[in-house]
Amino acid sequence: ALRTFSVIVADDRSAGMMPVLVTARHLRIAARDLSMLLPRLAEITGVVPEIVPTDDDDQVIELKIPGVSAAHTVAAVSKLLARGFVRVIVGTRGLLGEGWDSPAANTLIDITTASTSTATQQLRGRTMRLDHEWPDKVAHNWTVVAILPEARTAIAHSDVRRLRRKLDALW
């Protein structure tokens, strides 16, 4: 999730999308979006987020919201998505899987190693929820497995088998 978020932030085409990374240990935003997102997070959570130095990427800012749980942080980010301020959330299945409800989410790009069709359906269900604010909503679900041409090994074949298992029970 950290690497995916850094790639999105570094891509000039993502400017204006206000991506947010939310995991159990991290809340990150693009440095360019600080002035727009920090006050909105403070408004929703009731706490001004603290900026935590990171030494791995100067385009990314790590935030901590003292006294606010991961679940409440996800809820705050989900509100930003619903209100149109955030257009991309990068997260983990643990936080954005079962129990996460954000009808405004319409696109999922699954790069997890979840191997069961049940886990895959659970993830895809996040984007298929109806949104009364958006009656023409269409869900877009992608599953990505990257295999390098020179990686024709048993490990690469197991990734392809895992992908097939994930998709077996879907239309």
Side-chain angles (χ1 to χ4, degrees):
L2 295 170
R3 185 170 48 193
T4 299
F5 184 73
S6 291
V7 169
I8 290 169
V9 169
D11 191 327
D12 290 337
R13 295 172 292 182
S14 72
M17 296 183 83
M18 306 243 189
V20 174
L21 167 84
V22 61
T23 71
R25 291 184 297 186
H26 300 283
L27 173 61
R28 291 186 174 188
I29 63 173
R32 64 179 175 246
D33 299 332
L34 182 65
S35 64
M36 181 70 78
L37 294 179
L38 195 68
R40 286 179 171 80
L41 281 167
E43 173 192 337
I44 292 169
T45 63
V47 179
V48 176
E50 298 173 358
I51 298 172
V52 179
T54 60
D55 42 50
D56 58 340
D57 189 342
D58 62 350
Q59 295 182 50
V60 172
I61 292 179
E62 177 96 21
L63 300 175
K64 295 284 184 209
I65 307 177
V68 176
S69 69
H72 285 98
T73 300
V74 170
V77 171
S78 297
K79 284 181 184 177
L80 292 175
L81 178 71
R83 294 176 185 174
F85 295 112
V86 168
R87 296 188 55 212
V88 174
I89 298 175
V90 175
T92 58
R93 183 180 53 207
L95 288 180
L96 302 178
E98 188 173 349
W100 180 57
D101 187 26
S102 181
N106 76 318
T107 302
L108 168 78
I109 301 172
D110 177 9
I111 59 174
T112 67
T113 57
S115 60
T116 67
S117 59
T118 303
T120 301
Q121 286 175 328
Q122 185 70 35
L123 281 172
R124 289 172 177 249
R126 305 299 113 212
T127 61
M128 294 181 187
R129 285 205 165 83
L130 297 177
D131 184 351
H132 68 278
E133 299 290 325
W134 187 5
D136 297 330
K137 174 183 166 180
V138 175
H140 305 276
N141 287 287
W142 299 76
T143 300
V144 177
V145 173
I147 299 171
L148 299 173
E150 60 274 5
R152 296 172 194 239
T153 65
I155 293 172
H157 292 291
S158 70
D159 285 343
V160 172
R161 285 192 301 278
R162 182 171 23 85
L163 174 64
R164 285 187 181 135
R165 279 194 315 274
K166 284 173 79 167
L167 302 178
D168 275 345
L170 300 174
W171 293 5

